[in-house]
Amino acid sequence: MSRKILAALAAGATVVALTALSPATSPAFAGAPRHTPTSTERTVVVYRVPTHGGQDAQKLITSGFDLIERRQGDDLFVMGDPSTAAELRRLGFSPTAVETMKKPLPHKVPARHGAGSVNDTYYGGYHTVDAHYAHLDQVAAQHPDMATVVTYGKSWLRQQGRGGHDLKAICVTKKKQGDCALDPNSTKPRFFLMSQIHAREITTGEVSWRWIDALTDEYGKDPAITALMDSTEMWVVPITNPDGVDIVAQGGDNPILQRKNADDSRGTNCSWTGQIGVDLNRNAGTHWGGAGTSTQPCSEIYLGPRADSEPENASLEGLFKQLYPAVRTGTGDSDPAPDTAKGLMISLHSDASMVLLPWEADRRIHTGNDAALRALAGRLGSLTGYQSGQAGEILYDASGGSDDWTYDKLGVASLTIEIGDSDGRGCSGFTPAFSCQDSYFWPKLKPALLYAAQQATAPYRTTDGGDTPSAHR
């Protein structure tokens, strides 16, 4: 049995909140009704936990603790309440409290009312789902020769007739005949960027927003972007988990750090915190149910009742199949995609300051394109100042992720970039000050995304040598 704990992460003095699990008896799993939290329950603590390799990470996960996407050396970080320290010590760990804060009061999933505006923001400037979608429509209207918006599915709440959203992507390129068609046999190579599959990782959506604007606004002005737009299709899903992002934005200046989607079909009784849902980045049908997942519906890493059970995942995978041919014909973990394969996909997360490559499910197994993917990840690591490697090597194993799926099923070169504050700029955490977006994150990520998109022509032929392209200097 596990107990539901709401946890939080702060950037400097910024107070934020999210939910975690701690290994103690829980009304959430016992079926007890919701209750008003006590002052102790409203205290959130972030603990630094020394570990000794991947087995300790898995021990923390299977015991119900919420590991955040952060690691320093062999030390991991756990979110909980004041009682979590005793539970960690009971398992043989030696935690040190590094942050203490308050979490928000109970909340409800917000209802949507009509169309949004690009000016709809929360927490100092972060854009709501409606703002992101209005932005896509605005870009397509202002640049009809460069942008096409595609609706590729419906969110869980929308499927249930309970509000929610359509699922939207945008294709950005200097259009020629046949461009942006839902056809895997495209003339141009395709670079795919997705963000906020974990709703609380709000920096990622802002990076996607700025990437779209850079491609359209700087065409004809910046030689590197002009060449890229002439030769390559850029596809962007700025909000992969819109129902979850609605919950985050509902907190306003104190964002609700909802990680998962809004699927409450396994019950809503996850204590007073309301952290229902499925972790979409544990739900994909590649190595589903492996390390780094939980079968407890209230866990932050709940994998869902079956692989690809969630419409957000199933629809996204349907879009991938329409954009990329399945060139990895083997089914074994070590079967490679051909080195002639085109296309590259990046999933943005935060805030570990890392570039991760498949297989993220298990550090002990390697893809058939391991050398090429490591070279590509290493190059992006050099551009950002981030570590690179498989998740289990530098963070912890995580099964059922989207980048493992696109590589596995289609042979697409796929990576995760964990956006973080690797330079001590006061921009760490899931909800850094909005000013960090333009002053720090975007200048760091723009060169990396430009370089990655330039590799979509032949990603498996990327080498780790050579000079950085002039556009990145």
Side-chain angles (χ1 to χ4, degrees), residues 62-310:
T62 56
S63 298
F65 292 100
D66 183 15
L67 293 181
I68 66 173
E69 290 85 345
R70 193 193 300 179
R71 177 172 163 178
Q72 294 181 11
D74 287 331
D75 293 356
L76 297 174
F77 292 81
V78 167
M79 293 184 176
D81 68 8
S83 69
T84 303
E87 301 294 344
L88 287 165
R89 293 188 186 100
R90 193 168 294 126
L91 285 180
F93 296 102
S94 300
T96 301
V98 294
E99 297 174 59
T100 302
M101 60 211 76
K102 298 292 182 181
K103 60 194 174 187
L105 293 172
H107 64 281
K108 297 179 180 179
V109 176
R112 297 178 60 242
H113 303 285
S117 160
V118 292
N119 297 316
D120 291 344
T121 62
Y122 65 101
Y123 188 50
Y126 287 91
H127 294 92
T128 65
V129 178
D130 287 340
H132 275 279
Y133 284 2
H135 178 237
L136 298 185
D137 292 337
Q138 181 185 75
V139 169
Q142 293 177 346
H143 303 281
D145 59 330
M146 298 183 193
T148 299
V149 178
V150 172
T151 297
Y152 65 89
K154 298 181 185 297
S155 71
W156 190 86
L157 285 176
R158 194 154 183 88
Q159 282 198 350
Q160 307 305 309
R162 294 166 52 190
H165 296 267
D166 289 334
L167 303 172
K168 293 192 175 185
I170 190 169
C171 173
V172 185
T173 190
K174 183 60 176 176
K175 291 184 187 176
K176 299 177 182 177
Q177 184 69 30
D179 285 352
C180 296
L182 296 178
D183 179 356
N185 299 309
S186 61
T187 301
K188 292 179 178 178
R190 286 167 166 159
F191 173 67
F192 196 104
L193 185 71
M194 55 180 281
S195 52
Q196 279 190 270
I197 191 170
H198 287 154
R200 68 194 187 188
E201 296 167 13
I202 60 179
T203 286
T204 66
E206 295 300 321
V207 169
S208 285
W209 181 297
R210 285 154 179 76
W211 174 241
I212 293 166
D213 282 350
L215 294 171
T216 52
D217 294 346
E218 297 178 33
Y219 180 80
K221 303 171 185 176
D222 182 285
I225 286 180
T226 302
L228 181 64
M229 288 280 284
D230 286 341
S231 63
T232 306
E233 286 184 17
M234 270 64 64
W235 285 78
V236 186
V237 175
I239 304 292
T240 309
N241 178 9
D243 292 348
V245 176
D246 271 350
I247 297 173
V248 173
Q250 190 267 347
D253 288 339
N254 189 20
I256 307 296
L257 288 197
Q258 175 78 13
R259 173 184 172 95
K260 302 182 285 182
N261 73 352
D263 182 351
D264 60 6
S265 61
R266 260 67 64 187
T268 59
N269 203 13
C270 291
S271 186
W272 61 274
T273 59
Q275 281 283 347
I276 44 76
V278 173
D279 183 346
L280 299 177
N281 206 47
R282 301 295 187 274
N283 185 244
T286 291
H287 299 119
W288 183 80
T293 65
S294 173
T295 58
Q296 292 282 10
C298 292
S299 169
E300 293 290 357
I301 51 172
Y302 175 51
L303 75 174
R306 63 187 179 280
D308 301 318
S309 62
E310 304 311 293

Side-chain angles (χ1 to χ4, degrees), residues 355 357 372-383 386 388-389 415 464:
V355 183
L357 59 132
L373 288 169
R374 284 184 188 275
L376 180 57
R379 195 75 183 109
L380 294 174
S382 296
L383 289 166
Y386 295 166
S388 64
L415 301 169
D464 200 25

